């Protein structure tokens, strides 16, 4: 038998490091009257997929509030406080009416704005004049119900982003619950370093080999939040991916299985989603998965797998695989949930790989602290085509034979600076400007000869390797 008790003086410090500090309340607590919770409430938040609304009410919990969402018989959506204003029975057992919903206990009947329409047990109308039930405004867009839970006089316009208006795109709503704090789900999207390790090198390629190439990364603020800019060389091409954080809690991500093996300019996002806190220790990631031919030339995606608690790529839910599979090939879900119900920032050792996470936390802290001085509704400035410009994209461009880190940084910076400079232009014009800039600064190059795309049935295909 060997003993490890004689190891060096720096080791075996478990006894001294057992204390568990409290989480950072300013960034992680989301209930009513918490600073971060109030900040998140100043923006429209997705609360359910339209497909979840049936002839029965749907109980939801958003930002620590117990609510019920429903579609009344005249087709309007409502989001009400869950407990009836009479004696608190849950409106999840309510009866959906032509107009609004009625509590099953004594029939109090509410409109979608919380107006008490009828109290069948009461002989006079006095109580109706006195009681208004808690309700929030909703807006249904492309199969997702959004709601505004903030102060009514600061209701912002409903935001429409440029990537929601791309032709020949199938936008499939999805909703996934992760049992941990919203911030660790959100900040994962500003941690591009994990793509190389978690998703590629540690247990095999989950999203294609190109993701494992060394990258140069920079982070930039944008008018809507921040981006990370990842630039690699792969198969004779530069590949610059830009990933959006749309504050307070939105994200856009590029093609899930980007092969980066032929020239493309300004290929837009494969997913627009929000990490909506259910409460301090549960998060709903809800948004649209975008399907468009250019995003998935090898046909690895599967719209039929996208929906409630399901999506067509690995590592996003507990249900999709056995515990052993998740231990052998962990994904985003495993790392996020295992950071604890609320990650403890005081125990972390942030390093150079965490510059994006640190910057995102700084921006959130700035937003939370600035809340008191926000006297006008928060809105994003629309671009020339009426939509809000976003920055998420992939550009792949022929590279010279020898490319060093400086060249990668220069290429990535040129791409993101052009994206920022053209934010107010229509999308096609942004693409043309980017193309012209790349030709001028980096040459048109000769398209390198690449292997043809693998068919999904071949053994080396990424989907085959990850068992999906
Ligand atoms: S508790 Fe709802 S009507 Fe009485
Ligand atoms: Fe990830």
């Amino acid at each position: 038998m060997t003993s490890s008790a004689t190891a060096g003086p720096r080791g075996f410090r478990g006894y001294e490091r057992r204390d568990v500090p409290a989480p950072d309340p300013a960034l992680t607590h989301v209930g009513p009257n918490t600073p971060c919770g109030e900040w998140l409430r100043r923006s429209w938040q997705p609360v359910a997929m339209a497909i979840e609304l049936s002839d029965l009410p749907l109980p939801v919990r958003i930002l620590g509030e117990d609510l019920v969402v429903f579609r009344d018989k005249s087709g309007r959506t409502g989001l009400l406080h869950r407990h009836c204003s009479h004696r608190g029975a849950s409106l999840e057992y309510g009866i959906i009416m032509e107009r609004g919903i009625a509590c099953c206990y004594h029939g109090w009947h509410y409109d979608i704005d919380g107006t008490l329409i009828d109290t069948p047990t009461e002989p006079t109308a006095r109580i109706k004049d006195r009681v208004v039930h808690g309700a929030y405004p909703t807006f249904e867009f492309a199969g997702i119900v959004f709601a505004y839970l903030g102060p009514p006089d600061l209701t912002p316009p409903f935001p429409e982003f440029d990537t929601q208006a791309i032709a020949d795109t199938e936008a499939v709503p999805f909703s996934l619950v992760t049992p941990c704090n919203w911030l660790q789900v959100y900040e994962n999207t500003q941690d591009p370093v994990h793509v190389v390790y978690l998703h590629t090198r540690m247990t095999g390629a989950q999203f294609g080999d190109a993701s494992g190439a060394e990258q140069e990364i920079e982070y930039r603020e944008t008018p809507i939040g921040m981006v990370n800019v990842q630039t690699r060389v792969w198969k004779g091409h530069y590949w610059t991916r830009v990933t959006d954080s749309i504050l307070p809690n939105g994200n856009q991500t590029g093609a899930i299985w980007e092969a980066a093996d032929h020239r493309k300019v300004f290929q837009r996002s494969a997913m627009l989603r929000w990490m909506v806190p259910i409460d301090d220790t549960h998060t709903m990631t809800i948004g649209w998965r975008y399907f468009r031919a250019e995003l998935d030339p090898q046909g690895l995606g599967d719209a039929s797998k996208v929906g409630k608690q399901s999506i067509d790529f690995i590592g996003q839910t507990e249900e999709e695989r056995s515990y052993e599979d998740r231990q052998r090939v962990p994904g985003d879900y495993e790392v996020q949930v295992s950071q604890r119900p609320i990650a403890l920032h005081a125990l972390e050792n942030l390093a150079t790989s965490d510059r994006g996470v640190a910057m995102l936390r700084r921006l959130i802290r700035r937003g939370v602290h600035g809340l008191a001085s926000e006297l006008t509704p928060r809105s994003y400035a629309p671009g020339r085509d009426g939509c809000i410009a976003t920055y998420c994209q992939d550009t792949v461009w022929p590279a010279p034979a020898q490319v060093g880190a400086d060249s990668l940084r220069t290429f990535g910076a040129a791409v993101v600076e052009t994206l920022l400079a053209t934010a107010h232009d229509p999308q096609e014009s942004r693409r043309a400007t980017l193309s012209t800039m790349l030709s001028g600064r980096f040459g048109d190059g000769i398209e390198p000869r690449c292997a043809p795309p693998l068919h999904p049935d071949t053994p080396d295909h990424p989907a085959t390797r990850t068992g999906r």
Side-chain angles (χ1 to χ4, degrees), residues 217-363:
I217 307 168
E218 70 165 316
Y219 304 89
R220 294 274 180 116
E221 279 195 48
T222 68
I224 56 173
M226 69 174 282
V227 289
N228 63 67
V229 184
Q230 313 160 32
T231 304
R232 302 165 164 91
V233 162
W234 183 251
K235 293 188 177 175
H237 293 85
Y238 290 110
W239 169 28
T240 292
R241 162 160 293 191
V242 178
T243 302
D244 269 315
S245 288
I246 304 172
L247 292 176
N249 58 334
N251 157 259
Q252 286 200 110
T253 300
I256 309 295
W257 297 276
E258 179 57 62
D261 58 2
H262 64 275
R263 185 189 311 234
K264 59 181 68 175
V265 176
F266 201 48
Q267 174 183 281
R268 304 309 312 271
S269 74
M271 197 158 49
L272 170 58
R273 57 188 173 170
W274 287 262
M275 285 66 173
V276 180
I278 294 170
D279 52 31
D280 290 352
T281 54
H282 297 82
T283 303
M284 173 171 61
T285 299
I286 176 170
W288 297 276
R289 182 77 174 86
Y290 291 138
F291 291 89
R292 188 165 60 248
E294 64 169 2
L295 289 168
D296 187 15
Q298 297 179 73
L300 300 175
D302 184 350
S304 74
K305 288 186 178 160
V306 177
K308 183 70 180 170
Q309 204 55 18
S310 176
I311 201 156
D312 62 333
F313 56 90
I314 193 168
Q316 307 304 305
T317 64
E318 182 172 343
E319 295 88 338
E320 70 188 42
R321 294 180 297 150
S322 70
Y323 178 56
E324 181 178 342
D325 281 356
R326 294 189 295 109
Q327 276 195 297
R328 293 196 186 283
V329 184
D332 290 311
Y333 178 92
E334 285 70 40
V335 295
Q336 290 162 4
V337 173
S338 65
Q339 285 177 287
R340 300 183 172 90
I342 305 179
L344 300 173
H345 299 171
L347 290 182
E348 294 174 340
N349 293 287
L350 292 189
T352 55
S353 68
D354 304 304
R355 283 186 296 139
V357 169
M359 181 167 165
L360 184 62
R361 290 182 189 173
R362 254 192 331 270
L363 293 180

Side-chain angles (χ1 to χ4, degrees), residues 51-364:
I51 201 170
E52 296 178 87
L53 304 186
S54 66
D55 58 341
L56 295 171
L58 178 73
V60 293
R61 188 165 161 80
I62 303 290
L63 293 162
E65 297 184 42
D66 288 324
L67 307 167
V68 65
V69 58
F70 59 94
R71 187 192 305 287
D72 73 10
K73 288 185 177 165
S74 60
R76 303 171 309 158
T77 51
L79 181 67
L80 302 187
H81 285 187
R82 195 184 299 170
H83 296 285
C84 177
S85 286
H86 178 214
R87 279 178 33 225
S90 173
L91 292 175
E92 74 191 282
Y93 303 109
I95 315 302
I96 292 180
M97 309 294 277
E98 184 65 25
R99 197 174 147 206
I101 190 169
C103 178
C104 63
Y105 205 0
H106 313 93
W108 284 29
H109 176 185
Y110 305 102
D111 205 345
I112 58 165
D113 66 354
T115 303
L116 188 49
I117 298 173
D118 193 20
T119 50
T121 55
E122 301 310 303
T124 73
R126 250 181 313 170
I127 196 119
K128 283 197 291 186
D129 299 335
R130 191 162 53 79
V131 174
V132 178
H133 190 67
Y136 295 114
T138 60
F139 189 84
E140 195 172 340
F141 187 91
I144 294 183
V145 180
F146 290 78
Y148 174 71
L149 279 70
D153 53 337
L154 292 175
T155 308
F158 182 78
E160 285 185 48
F161 298 100
D162 54 5
T163 47
Q164 292 170 308
I166 297 178
D168 302 320
T169 302
E170 186 186 5
V172 184
F174 67 91
S175 154
L176 313 169
V177 173
T178 313
C180 66
N181 185 253
W182 79 284
L183 185 60
Q184 57 222 58
V185 184
Y186 192 40
E187 66 190 16
N188 166 280
T189 65
Q190 285 302 345
D191 170 13
V193 177
H194 89 272
V195 176
V196 177
Y197 289 87
L198 175 71
H199 294 317
T200 313
R201 295 188 184 175
M202 300 307 286
T203 61
Q206 300 177 354
F207 302 119
D209 294 330
S211 303
E214 273 311 327
Q215 54 182 343
E216 286 295 315
I217 307 168
E218 70 165 316
Y219 304 89
R220 294 274 180 116
E221 279 195 48
T222 68
I224 56 173
M226 69 174 282
V227 289
N228 63 67
V229 184
Q230 313 160 32
T231 304
R232 302 165 164 91
V233 162
W234 183 251
K235 293 188 177 175
H237 293 85
Y238 290 110
W239 169 28
T240 292
R241 162 160 293 191
V242 178
T243 302
D244 269 315
S245 288
I246 304 172
L247 292 176
N249 58 334
N251 157 259
Q252 286 200 110
T253 300
I256 309 295
W257 297 276
E258 179 57 62
D261 58 2
H262 64 275
R263 185 189 311 234
K264 59 181 68 175
V265 176
F266 201 48
Q267 174 183 281
R268 304 309 312 271
S269 74
M271 197 158 49
L272 170 58
R273 57 188 173 170
W274 287 262
M275 285 66 173
V276 180
I278 294 170
D279 52 31
D280 290 352
T281 54
H282 297 82
T283 303
M284 173 171 61
T285 299
I286 176 170
W288 297 276
R289 182 77 174 86
Y290 291 138
F291 291 89
R292 188 165 60 248
E294 64 169 2
L295 289 168
D296 187 15
Q298 297 179 73
L300 300 175
D302 184 350
S304 74
K305 288 186 178 160
V306 177
K308 183 70 180 170
Q309 204 55 18
S310 176
I311 201 156
D312 62 333
F313 56 90
I314 193 168
Q316 307 304 305
T317 64
E318 182 172 343
E319 295 88 338
E320 70 188 42
R321 294 180 297 150
S322 70
Y323 178 56
E324 181 178 342
D325 281 356
R326 294 189 295 109
Q327 276 195 297
R328 293 196 186 283
V329 184
D332 290 311
Y333 178 92
E334 285 70 40
V335 295
Q336 290 162 4
V337 173
S338 65
Q339 285 177 287
R340 300 183 172 90
I342 305 179
L344 300 173
H345 299 171
L347 290 182
E348 294 174 340
N349 293 287
L350 292 189
T352 55
S353 68
D354 304 304
R355 283 186 296 139
V357 169
M359 181 167 165
L360 184 62
R361 290 182 189 173
R362 254 192 331 270
L363 293 180
I364 293 172

Side-chain angles (χ1 to χ4, degrees), residues 434-451:
L434 189 51
S435 221
T436 305
M437 182 282 293
L438 292 170
S439 293
R441 286 191 58 184
F442 301 94
D444 277 328
I446 297 175
E447 198 64 24
R449 291 175 63 82
C450 294

